Amino acid sequence: VRVLCVYMQQYINPKMSGLKLFFDTFSQPSRAVLILCHAYKIPFEPKLIKIGEMEHQTNEEFAEVCASRTVPAIDDDGFQLFESAAIMKYLVCKHKLPDHWYPADLQQQAKIDEYLHWHHANLRMGITPIMFNKVFLPKKTGQPPNEVIIRTSEKILEKTLKLLESHFLKDTKFINSESISIADLQAVCELTQFWVAGVDPVADKPRLSQWLTDCQKELAPHFDQVHEAVYTARDRGTFKGML
Amino acid sequence: VRVLCVYMQQYINPKMSGLKLFFDTFSQPSRAVLILCHAYKIPFEPKLIKIGEMEHQTNEEFAEVCASRTVPAIDDDGFQLFESAAIMKYLVCKHKLPDHWYPADLQQQAKIDEYLHWHHANLRMGITPIMFNKVFLPKKTGQPPNEVIIRTSEKILEKTLKLLESHFLKDTKFINSESISIADLQAVCELTQFWVAGVDPVADKPRLSQWLTDCQKELAPHFDQVHEAVYTARDRGTFKGML
């Protein structure tokens, strides 16, 4: 059973806001955007799109707003936008959030962009196809997972975690930076997807575990609030042993 | 035989520049960055990394600069950066290129970011794995292509081209904009990869063909100069019939 995130209501007064946020807390990039909104009390009207029930394909209001049919997406007083990295950058700039989230300095900003662009074909391609093929698809359809895609993703994931350690977190506390940014938010919310099935992808990697804990601390209490549905799935053991 | 791009020399005086650009003109995102540099006579020291000869894995200078071992990458007086979208954005801002390349306006900028982030898991994932598996890998190793990966990419490509038409180019001459931007550069240089094998991926799509021609016109003569090696491969028929 999906947990409806009641805690959200505390920050939201729809009448005060023209921002609609389409999301699912089982979507990694949705969680990243949600945490940012909660941390800075950016008012928004929550529009839950249950991807497990294919609402991203069937919800008509969502189709009007988001041509790619991917969550998260926003409609900010008529301005429509998808892609989580673009949304986070837009919100940081619009609401003038503290500089460390997306630095104004050209070179610092470029190093955050480097991660955010690298993310798609690397950390995300290393995790999402595994979760989809090994966990969600078999649970939903009973079909066996696609082994070629799983092996490809496993190789990407291994390479990706190494590069996170040896490059992006080599000399800095957070990704290419001493302070937390939207790059960390994007990365950490992707990694936590494995938690749904009770697996910690960085358990044997002390540097990455430390960074994950540092992110969690920086983002408290919003990190745990937004991960409520993830924790519930993990604690119920719904997908245990599938990864 | 690889064509060494002699035309480049006209813009380059290495002594005047601290910018090293690592590239291969057979790399789609490398071409995007090269076209931008040529169009604005941004001085750079060219560092050719022949990916077909695995130099991205073996070149030691490249390894020092680029942890991901992907082209393009830059070393700008010691500032190292990979990921083409991050590099283009950095160069546009540093050299104060005309606003349309990467608009200062928050919402216009966000719509360019939307494409640039969408690109990785969509247009790029629709084209690069097909080229790699159907063209470069069989040519290099004689191994048969991976059919599962090809079918997955073909589905992505079909969906992607539809969305380019129905969303990104629906109401505007260029991607989410009336003027050309680095989003168009990124997209168009990915599409032209099929030209290597003599295939036009938008031949039966009038709107996309028109947009491709518009990009080519806007980017003349730099577009054709940077595509010199692509044209040569196409004209020699090196990879003909493989796609």
Side-chain angles (χ1 to χ4, degrees):
Chain A
V1 182
R2 172 172 300 266
V3 179
L4 184 62
C5 302
V6 183
Y7 71 89
M8 284 176 188
Q9 303 306 324
Q10 65 185 300
Y11 295 133
I12 300 159
N13 179 346
K15 285 176 194 162
M16 286 178 63
S17 167
L19 178 68
K20 290 178 186 136
L21 172 58
F22 297 81
F23 70 95
D24 185 330
T25 55
F26 279 124
S27 137
Q28 304 91 305
S30 289
R31 290 199 292 269
V33 174
L34 279 165
I35 290 172
L36 195 69
C37 287
H38 289 317
Y40 288 95
K41 299 188 170 50
I42 297 171
F44 66 91
E45 184 181 342
K47 296 276 184 183
L48 180 63
I49 300 293
K50 298 177 185 174
I51 45 181
E53 297 177 23
M54 301 300 283
E55 287 182 359
H56 54 302
Q57 297 295 349
T58 57
N59 184 301
E60 287 181 21
E61 186 188 5
F62 183 55
E64 289 290 316
V65 169
C66 181
S68 74
R69 307 264 189 142
T70 50
V71 284
I74 60 169
D75 183 321
D76 190 16
D77 272 326
F79 175 66
Q80 300 175 340
L81 189 68
F82 54 86
E83 284 296 326
S84 57
I87 293 170
M88 287 195 284
K89 187 168 158 277
Y90 170 76
L91 292 175
V92 167
C93 297
K94 181 178 173 178
H95 294 279
K96 299 184 173 56
L97 305 192
D99 186 70
H100 63 85
W101 286 107
Y102 189 71
D105 176 84
L106 186 59
Q107 293 194 346
Q108 287 176 35
Q109 189 176 104
K111 295 303 284 186
I112 301 306
D113 288 331
E114 179 187 89
Y115 177 80
L116 289 170
H117 282 288
W118 178 83
H119 175 84
H120 303 280
N122 294 278
L123 190 58
R124 184 151 180 87
M125 286 302 294
I127 290 184
T128 297
I130 294 178
M131 282 301 293
F132 185 77
N133 275 283
K134 276 186 122 165
V135 177
F136 291 115
L137 203 66
K139 197 83 183 175
K140 191 103 189 153
T141 67
Q143 283 174 16
N146 184 316
E147 292 298 337
V148 174
I149 290 176
I150 288 170
R151 280 200 305 278
T152 304
S153 282
E154 281 171 348
K155 274 186 211 162
I156 295 174
L157 181 59
E158 195 192 335
K159 206 174 127 193
T160 286
L161 294 179
K162 272 188 196 154
L163 209 62
L164 263 178
E165 242 176 326
S166 66
H167 171 68
F168 294 106
L169 294 164
K170 187 187 172 198
D171 302 315
T172 48
K173 185 174 177 188
F174 293 99
I175 289 179
N176 282 342
S177 172
E178 280 309 316
S179 310
I180 197 165
S181 78
I182 57 175
D184 300 283
L185 247 179
Q186 188 81 299
V188 85
C189 288
E190 187 65 41
L191 277 169
T192 57
Q193 196 71 349
F194 274 5
W195 289 1
V196 172
V199 168
D200 177 1
V202 296
D204 58 346
K205 296 181 171 58
R207 175 67 193 97
L208 294 182
S209 290
Q210 182 58 53
W211 161 77
L212 204 154
T213 307
D214 289 340
C215 288
Q216 204 164 355
K217 273 185 203 161
E218 288 279 329
L219 300 168
H222 317 289
F223 183 94
D224 287 336
Q225 289 172 336
V226 170
H227 279 81
E228 195 179 301
V230 169
Y231 296 153
T232 303
R234 180 194 61 192
D235 296 345
R236 289 191 179 153
T238 318
F239 305 104
K240 204 177 173 182
M242 298 187 80
L243 267 191
Chain B
V1 181
R2 173 171 299 266
V3 178
L4 184 63
C5 303
V6 183
Y7 73 87
M8 283 178 189
Q9 302 306 324
Q10 65 183 302
Y11 296 129
I12 301 155
N13 179 348
K15 285 177 193 159
M16 286 177 62
S17 168
L19 178 67
K20 291 180 186 133
L21 172 57
F22 298 81
F23 70 95
D24 185 330
T25 54
F26 280 124
S27 136
Q28 303 91 304
S30 289
R31 290 198 294 270
V33 174
L34 279 165
I35 291 172
L36 195 70
C37 287
H38 289 318
Y40 287 95
K41 298 186 169 49
I42 297 172
F44 67 90
E45 184 180 342
K47 297 276 185 185
L48 181 63
I49 300 294
K50 298 178 186 174
I51 45 180
E53 295 175 24
M54 301 300 283
E55 286 183 2
H56 56 301
Q57 296 296 348
T58 58
N59 184 300
E60 287 182 20
E61 185 188 5
F62 183 57
E64 288 291 317
V65 169
C66 181
S68 75
R69 308 266 188 140
T70 51
V71 283
I74 61 170
D75 184 320
D76 191 16
D77 272 328
F79 174 66
Q80 300 174 339
L81 189 66
F82 54 87
E83 284 295 327
S84 56
I87 293 170
M88 289 194 283
K89 186 168 161 278
Y90 170 77
L91 292 175
V92 167
C93 296
K94 181 178 172 180
H95 295 279
K96 300 184 174 54
L97 305 193
D99 185 71
H100 63 85
W101 286 107
Y102 189 71
D105 175 84
L106 185 59
Q107 293 193 346
Q108 287 176 36
Q109 189 176 104
K111 294 303 284 186
I112 302 305
D113 289 331
E114 178 188 90
Y115 177 81
L116 289 169
H117 283 288
W118 178 83
H119 175 84
H120 303 279
N122 293 279
L123 191 57
R124 185 153 179 85
M125 286 303 293
I127 289 185
T128 296
I130 294 178
M131 282 301 293
F132 184 76
N133 275 283
K134 277 186 121 167
V135 177
F136 292 116
L137 203 64
K139 197 84 182 174
K140 191 104 189 152
T141 65
Q143 284 174 18
N146 185 316
E147 293 297 337
V148 173
I149 290 176
I150 289 171
R151 279 199 304 277
T152 305
S153 282
E154 282 172 345
K155 273 186 211 163
I156 294 174
L157 181 59
E158 194 191 335
K159 206 174 129 193
T160 286
L161 294 179
K162 272 189 196 154
L163 209 61
L164 262 178
E165 242 177 325
S166 66
H167 172 67
F168 293 106
L169 293 165
K170 188 187 171 198
D171 302 317
T172 48
K173 185 175 177 186
F174 293 100
I175 288 177
N176 282 342
S177 172
E178 281 309 315
S179 309
I180 196 165
S181 78
I182 57 175
D184 300 282
L185 248 179
Q186 188 81 299
V188 85
C189 288
E190 187 65 39
L191 277 169
T192 57
Q193 197 70 349
F194 273 4
W195 290 1
V196 172
V199 168
D200 177 1
V202 295
D204 59 344
K205 296 182 171 57
R207 175 69 193 97
L208 294 182
S209 289
Q210 180 60 52
W211 161 76
L212 203 155
T213 307
D214 289 341
C215 288
Q216 206 164 353
K217 275 185 202 163
E218 288 278 330
L219 301 168
H222 318 289
F223 183 93
D224 288 335
Q225 288 172 338
V226 170
H227 280 79
E228 196 179 300
V230 169
Y231 295 154
T232 303
R234 180 196 59 191
D235 296 344
R236 289 192 179 152
T238 318
F239 304 105
K240 206 178 169 181
M242 299 187 80
L243 266 191

